[in-house]
Amino acid sequence: AKFASLYLREADGFRGVAMHNVPPALAEARTSGLLRPPPDSPLARIAATKQVVHISDIRTMQSYIEGHPFAVAGAELGGYRTVLSVPMLKDNEVIGAININRQEVRPFTDRQIELVRNFAAQAVIAMENARLINETRAALDQQTAVADVLKVISHSTFDLPLVLETLVETA
C-alpha cells in the first residue's frame, strides 16, 4: 500500500485519527472533523455490514461518478484508486476502521487482507488496554486525593480552614 489511515467511529460518522504517508491535502481533509461518507464508500459500508470492504477502483463507485466530495477527495487529493477498509470490532460493534490505499488499480491479496484484519484486531486490544490503564490511573488519583484529605483531618484538631484548603487543593 502507498498509505494508510485509521478512523474511529463517532455517533453517525468517523474521525480520522492516525495517518501514515497520506498526501498532506488528503490528510487535512480526513482529519478536519467528523466525516460522514456516502453510503457506497468503504467507511459507510463497514458501518452497515461490519465486514471488510475491498474496492479495486474507487473511480467506479457511484458516489465518485456523481461527484460526491468525500469520494472525489480520495481520488483527487490522495490519488488513490484501490482501497481496503477493515473494520475494528469490539463486542461486534464497529469502533473504527483501518484503510490502506494504492495509487494504482491493483487489488490486495487474501493474505494481505488477513494481515490487515490481524492489525485491526490488535488495534482494538491496544485501545482497550489504554482505556483500562487510564481508568486505573484516574481511580488511583481519586484514592490518593481522598487519602490526602483523610490524613489532614486525622492529623489536625479539626482545623476547618486547613481541611477546606486541602479539599480545594485536592479538587
Side-chain angles (χ1 to χ4, degrees):
K2 179 68 175 173
F3 56 88
S5 309
L6 189 140
Y7 298 92
L8 293 181
R9 184 122 186 243
E10 280 186 30
D12 63 341
F14 286 86
R15 186 170 307 278
V17 296
M19 308 275 160
H20 175 72
N21 209 30
V22 175
L26 181 61
E28 183 177 330
R30 294 296 200 248
T31 59
S32 63
L34 191 62
L35 304 171
R36 291 183 179 85
D40 66 338
S41 73
L43 288 175
R45 288 171 54 190
I46 275 180
T49 67
K50 303 176 187 175
Q51 300 294 316
V52 169
V53 176
H54 186 197
I55 298 177
S56 296
D57 187 355
I58 65 163
R59 291 185 181 181
T60 63
M61 289 184 349
Q62 190 64 34
S63 58
Y64 176 82
I65 294 167
E66 293 173 357
H68 191 285
F70 184 88
V72 171
E76 304 303 321
L77 299 177
Y80 72 81
R81 301 289 296 272
T82 298
V83 61
L84 175 67
S85 191
V86 177
M88 295 167 51
L89 299 171
K90 179 182 173 208
D91 300 328
N92 204 33
E93 291 300 318
V94 176
I95 64 166
I98 295 176
N99 283 10
I100 60 173
N101 309 85
R102 288 187 169 145
Q103 291 180 316
E104 70 275 359
V105 176
R106 186 166 52 104
F108 293 94
T109 67
D110 289 343
R111 188 166 183 233
Q112 292 166 330
I113 293 169
E114 189 58 33
L115 180 63
V116 179
R117 279 183 199 229
N118 288 334
F119 284 146
Q122 292 300 312
V124 171
I125 292 168
M127 289 169 55
E128 182 63 12
N129 286 344
R131 184 188 66 76
L132 291 172
I133 287 169
N134 289 336
E135 284 180 4
T136 301
R137 283 186 185 141
L140 182 59
D141 288 346
Q142 184 177 7
Q143 288 175 352
T144 301
V146 169
D148 289 346
V149 171
L150 292 174
K151 189 186 308 177
V152 168
I153 291 172
S154 70
H155 286 98
S156 70
T157 56
F158 204 75
D159 182 358
L160 186 57
L162 179 60
V163 172
L164 292 176
E165 182 181 327
T166 303
L167 281 170
V168 169
E169 287 175 10
T170 302

